[in-house]
Amino acid sequence: MDYRKLLCAGALAALCASTTGALAFDESIYPDWKGKWDRVGPPRWVQGKDVAPLNAEYAAIFAKTTAEQKAGGFGWETSWMCMPPGMPRIMNAYEPMEIVITPDTTHILISHIHDNRRIFTDGRDWPKDLEPSYKGYSIGKWLDTDGDGRYDTLVVETRNMKGQRSYGTDGLPLAADNRTIVQERIYQDKADPKFLLDEITTFDDALTRPWTITKKYEHDPKPPVDWIEEVCAENNPHIRVGHDNYMLSADGLLMPSKPNQAPPSLKYFK
Amino acid sequence: MLYRASIGTVALLMAAAAATSVAWAWDDAQYPDWKGEWFRASPVQWDSTRRPGRGQQAPLTPQYQAIYEVRLAEQEKLGGQDYNPQVRCLPPGMPRAMIGYEPLEIIVTPDVTYMRLQYMQAGPGPWSRHSRDIRSGGGSTKTGTAATTARSRNPRLSRSARGREHRHSARRRQPNHHQGADFPRPIKGRTH
């Protein structure tokens, strides 16, 4: 009889344990992506011999941007005036990336220019009335692709962006209508888990077809002691006046950024 | 004898299971629930119980009181705020960041508590957004005390009389909807 009481007590304890489990965030079912992730390779979207599948309209815009950049301008590119890169360019990871996983939201933190992302994994639907943002609105879902009882892949869709955006400093453009949709599949490289891969497919009206590339990030094994604080406006020598870009010289004077550039209007100084 | 063996096995399994749970699970029930958006509940001056400007009665040294008077004069007579780093789109730094110009999000994890302060900085045009993350560590789970590790070079107290509101663009629109039939279906069932 005493044995039966003990067994009942054991069963009760097990029930209590399962109740506690319901309250706790069981991080053992999520991948351990803590620490710093550094971009592998240059922050360019076009990789290897890949060619951006731009349609004719945006191929012309890109050609014009390339010509303007050769002349000292920027064309479609806007980060020189501290504009956020937005999605999908954020995933170039200009600075080290930190991934904070919680049950409801996965945060991707990159100290650059407004590059921090929230990926909602709480099962919500798309909000009906939402102000667009450069980073867009991201909804994700965790997958256990190998059935081992532990999530290994985060799939994400991002919508509701605003612009003007490009894929990198070369000004490779995204469409001005800002109807971009970005789908991602983020997972650790099974062959070498120190690498994190992000398969990014961009749907955009500047493209002739959906464009998939894979970004790679390497885990920094050193325990993170500090994180870089990137402040774009600090010591930014670029100045925009009207629709043109100028430079601020080391002695604090306005200077041209292009050969034979006319000075800006001084109309309001008269 | 059979009962004793069963009890021993059950006890052993439960102990092992408990140990494993403690090692892996993060019991967020023992932390405060600070999820969601936190909005500033007071004006933007540093001491919200006092009037802005000289009304703050900040215990400045004579040297810095003189500097402050020069800045107040610049602001009142000339309309300038060159002393204010935010007009150049520079972050306010600590402690001014805790004014909370935009809603605050607090992400509590066992190792790090993140205070995400994302705000608009009204600068010389619409090209001035910044976000900051303050990573703090070593804090009490009850009081939230922490050793803050992120600071800017030149933190200032809040602007006083002419607190400029930071507003998101009033422009709103519906989410995007692609029409191309060759696009795959999205995760959440949206039709292209």
Side-chain angles (χ1 to χ4, degrees):
Chain A
M1 188 64 182
D2 286 343
Y3 290 140
R4 285 179 188 165
K5 283 181 181 172
L6 280 170
L7 281 171
C8 287
L12 189 62
L15 181 64
C16 289
S18 67
T19 307
T20 305
L23 289 170
F25 164 38
D26 185 3
E27 62 183 339
S28 69
I29 64 173
Y30 293 88
D32 182 3
W33 290 348
K34 291 176 183 170
K36 273 186 189 178
W37 295 92
D38 296 311
R39 180 190 70 243
V40 175
R44 286 197 292 265
W45 212 258
V46 179
Q47 298 169 337
K49 294 181 179 177
D50 194 11
V51 177
L54 293 175
N55 62 29
E57 178 188 359
Y58 280 88
I61 288 171
F62 186 43
K64 187 179 174 192
T65 288
T66 303
E68 287 179 1
Q69 291 195 353
K70 281 181 183 169
F74 292 96
W76 199 260
E77 214 280 303
T78 58
S79 68
W80 60 276
M81 47 184 170
C82 298
M83 289 294 290
M87 278 297 287
R89 181 175 169 184
I90 283 175
M91 296 314 291
N92 274 333
Y94 289 97
E95 298 292 343
M97 175 169 69
E98 181 176 17
I99 302 174
V100 182
I101 298 172
T102 73
D104 300 333
T105 310
T106 292
H107 301 263
I108 292 183
L109 307 178
I110 302 170
S111 180
H112 181 232
I113 314 172
H114 206 74
D115 293 24
N116 299 324
R117 302 175 60 196
R118 289 182 189 87
I119 301 168
F120 298 108
T121 55
D122 56 359
R124 70 180 63 191
D125 206 342
W126 298 103
K128 290 209 172 359
D129 183 20
L130 192 67
E131 184 176 346
S133 65
Y134 293 96
K135 70 181 75 172
Y137 194 90
S138 299
I139 290 178
K141 186 178 179 183
W142 284 101
L143 304 179
D144 175 9
T145 60
D146 54 10
D148 66 354
R150 190 173 186 191
Y151 295 129
D152 51 48
T153 302
L154 179 61
V155 290
V156 186
E157 182 167 305
T158 302
R159 305 183 198 173
N160 203 39
M161 281 152 268
K162 68 177 181 182
Q164 141 178 348
R165 286 167 294 121
S166 62
Y167 294 91
T169 51
D170 59 0
L172 185 65
L174 287 117
D177 64 11
N178 293 316
R179 289 153 52 92
T180 316
I181 293 174
V182 180
Q183 293 182 347
E184 298 169 88
R185 193 174 181 88
I186 306 171
Y187 55 93
Q188 270 176 291
D189 187 346
K190 286 199 168 94
D192 192 347
K194 76 179 177 193
F195 293 112
L196 190 73
L197 304 175
D198 187 3
E199 294 174 8
I200 307 173
T201 301
T202 304
F203 304 84
D204 188 77
D205 290 337
L207 301 174
T208 57
R209 58 173 169 80
W211 186 20
T212 301
I213 59 110
T214 301
K215 289 284 179 189
K216 193 172 188 179
Y217 314 94
E218 182 173 6
H219 191 256
D220 184 346
K222 296 190 294 292
V225 176
D226 197 7
W227 293 80
I228 291 169
E229 183 186 56
E230 173 69 24
V231 178
C232 179
E234 199 171 42
N235 306 316
N236 182 3
H238 301 289
I239 296 174
R240 184 186 191 193
V241 183
H243 296 290
D244 215 348
N245 61 295
Y246 295 85
M247 296 285 289
L248 194 64
S249 69
D251 52 357
L253 299 178
L254 190 67
M255 61 182 285
S257 63
K258 309 167 191 174
N260 305 315
Q261 185 178 23
S265 169
L266 299 179
K267 174 182 170 185
Y268 292 107
F269 285 88
K270 290 175 185 173
Chain B
M1 188 64 185
L2 185 61
Y3 282 136
R4 282 180 188 166
S6 300
I7 288 168
T9 305
V10 167
L12 193 62
L13 286 172
M14 284 179 60
T20 308
S21 298
V22 169
W24 284 99
W26 166 42
D27 185 4
D28 57 354
Q30 67 175 226
Y31 292 85
D33 182 3
W34 288 350
K35 292 175 185 169
E37 282 184 307
W38 294 89
F39 294 91
R40 184 186 71 248
S42 55
V44 293
Q45 64 262 30
W46 186 244
D47 183 345
S48 58
T49 66
R50 296 171 189 258
R51 293 178 59 79
R54 293 183 186 85
Q56 288 281 291
Q57 298 177 5
L60 294 172
T61 63
Q63 178 189 357
Y64 282 88
Q65 184 65 43
I67 291 171
Y68 186 45
E69 292 296 333
V70 168
R71 291 174 176 177
L72 286 175
E74 177 189 338
Q75 187 178 13
E76 290 165 1
K77 293 175 183 172
L78 304 174
Q81 285 193 33
D82 190 53
Y83 57 85
N84 183 359
Q86 288 188 179
V87 301
R88 295 187 295 281
C89 303
L90 292 171
M94 281 295 287
R96 182 176 170 182
M98 294 311 295
I99 285 175
Y101 290 104
E102 292 292 341
L104 167 72
E105 180 179 21
I106 304 174
I107 308 165
V108 179
T109 74
D111 301 331
V112 184
T113 293
Y114 301 82
M115 305 194 76
R116 292 199 57 190
L117 296 153
Q118 176 179 300
Y119 57 91
M120 289 277 290
Q121 172 56 47
W127 317 115
S128 48
R129 278 173 186 251
H130 287 277
S131 67
R132 278 182 70 86
D133 295 289
I134 297 176
R135 297 173 166 85
S136 56
S140 154
T141 58
K142 296 298 180 190
T143 63
T145 56
T148 302
T149 56
R151 292 176 187 277
S152 75
R153 283 185 190 170
N154 192 17
R156 301 283 204 277
L157 294 182
S158 64
R159 288 162 301 183
S160 52
R162 296 194 186 110
R164 196 186 303 176
E165 292 296 328
H166 309 290
R167 295 283 185 232
H168 288 285
S169 161
R171 188 168 68 92
R172 290 179 177 272
R173 67 185 179 92
Q174 297 295 321
N176 301 325
H177 291 281
H178 275 263
Q179 300 299 323
D182 55 341
F183 286 77
R185 289 183 68 79
I187 295 168
K188 296 296 291 184
R190 181 176 54 85
T191 54
H192 290 283

